[in-house]
Amino acid sequence: TQPPQLFFWGARTLYLGQALGLSAHRNAVAVLCASLDGPFGVARNLRQPDADTMACRTALIPANTLHHLSTGSGTMAFLYVDARSDDYRRLATSTNVMHERYGSGIANETAYLNVLASLRDGKPWREARDALVSVLGLATPARNDDRITEALRYMRDDPTAAHDLDHVAAGAKLSPSRFQHLFKEQTGVPFRRHRIWMRMGAAVRAIAAGNTLTEAAFAAGFSSSAHFSAAFREMFGLSPSQLAPSS
């Protein structure tokens, strides 16, 4: 059995691997669930999660929505996107059927599942990443602004820094308000939300490189491993110790 993989890019995270058997839970971000090996179930009635489910191949769960999935032993993919991002709005618009708490049947579902299967079977991440953006219609910047690109590089290269808005904006030679506008335009998410995603990604990459949870937490600017674990659980609904991530 292949170990699960966790890919961060911008304010998006893709988990690919076996379902972790989670009980009913919430995520601080939205999640697009997909099964590569047949339908899975989403509970209609959380009081009887295994008795009343809807079968689907893809389901979009909004942020902070209590949900329970019934999955088999096949490969699942969970694409996490920020609830305030352009990505989420595009995914919600492309969902074919809206239910009380979630949506199912995204547009281009077959093409999306095929890209996920190719990634599982060894397709290079950079190629798969571009294909995912294309088939899902995810947000892409209209043009690259060198000032925002440099700010992102600075934040990525020094994740332990505070990355205060005024300081980062000054480094880009922009007012805070203008910087925030350009940052959202370029990345699809607000500055402060993107900062959280970048720190999460830095910690996960440190763990994948062999660092302990505590070492990874400090390397990414968290005050402790408990702080990182709590933030990770709030965002993704699971503990980082449940994963064997890939960078």
Side-chain angles (χ1 to χ4, degrees):
T1 302
Q2 291 182 329
Q5 301 175 85
L6 196 63
F7 303 96
F8 274 77
W9 86 104
R12 307 164 180 144
T13 300
L14 176 68
Y15 168 91
L16 187 65
Q18 287 189 316
L20 297 173
L22 300 176
S23 58
H25 65 284
R26 304 175 192 268
N27 305 315
V29 295
V31 56
L32 175 61
C33 312
S35 172
L36 279 65
D37 302 306
F40 65 98
V42 183
R44 289 192 180 97
N45 182 355
L46 291 173
R47 294 181 179 178
Q48 297 179 305
D50 297 320
D52 186 9
T53 64
M54 178 173 181
C56 55
R57 294 295 299 275
T58 58
L60 181 63
I61 313 295
N64 297 312
T65 299
L66 188 64
H67 62 283
H68 183 275
L69 307 179
S70 298
T71 61
S73 58
T75 302
M76 294 290 297
F78 301 115
L79 175 63
Y80 301 93
V81 298
D82 201 280
R84 296 179 62 187
S85 68
D86 295 335
D87 285 340
Y88 176 67
R89 285 188 286 274
R90 292 183 182 212
L91 289 173
T93 300
S94 76
T95 301
N96 294 325
V97 181
M98 293 304 299
H99 307 277
E100 182 180 355
R101 293 188 309 279
Y102 61 91
S104 66
I106 61 164
N108 295 327
E109 181 178 85
T110 299
Y112 177 54
L113 294 173
N114 287 340
V115 175
L116 293 172
S118 70
L119 180 60
R120 176 190 59 185
D121 297 338
K123 188 181 185 74
W125 165 240
R126 288 186 179 275
E127 296 178 21
R129 177 188 63 192
D130 293 341
L132 290 172
V133 170
S134 177
V135 299
L136 292 177
L138 299 182
T140 55
R143 58 185 177 83
N144 291 322
D145 188 297
D146 291 341
R147 295 166 296 185
I148 302 303
T149 300
E150 185 59 32
L152 288 168
R153 183 181 297 113
Y154 161 66
M155 294 168 66
R156 182 183 64 246
D157 292 346
D158 189 10
T160 60
H163 298 148
D164 173 78
L165 171 62
D166 290 343
H167 177 73
V168 179
K173 296 182 172 56
L174 294 166
S175 68
S177 60
R178 180 58 180 162
F179 176 82
Q180 289 190 92
H181 175 79
L182 281 177
F183 193 94
K184 175 66 163 59
E185 181 181 84
Q186 290 289 300
T187 66
V189 291
F191 169 74
R192 289 184 175 86
R193 294 295 300 170
H194 201 286
R195 184 174 58 188
I196 294 171
W197 285 92
M198 293 193 78
R199 286 181 173 169
M200 287 288 181
V204 168
R205 286 189 291 273
I207 293 172
N211 291 276
T212 67
L213 196 64
T214 298
E215 291 169 340
F218 284 127
F222 292 94
S223 59
S224 65
S225 60
H227 179 205
F228 167 57
S229 294
F232 194 95
R233 180 179 291 278
E234 179 185 9
M235 181 172 279
F236 301 117
L238 65 156
S239 167
S241 63
Q242 293 177 270
L243 301 173
S246 293
S247 59

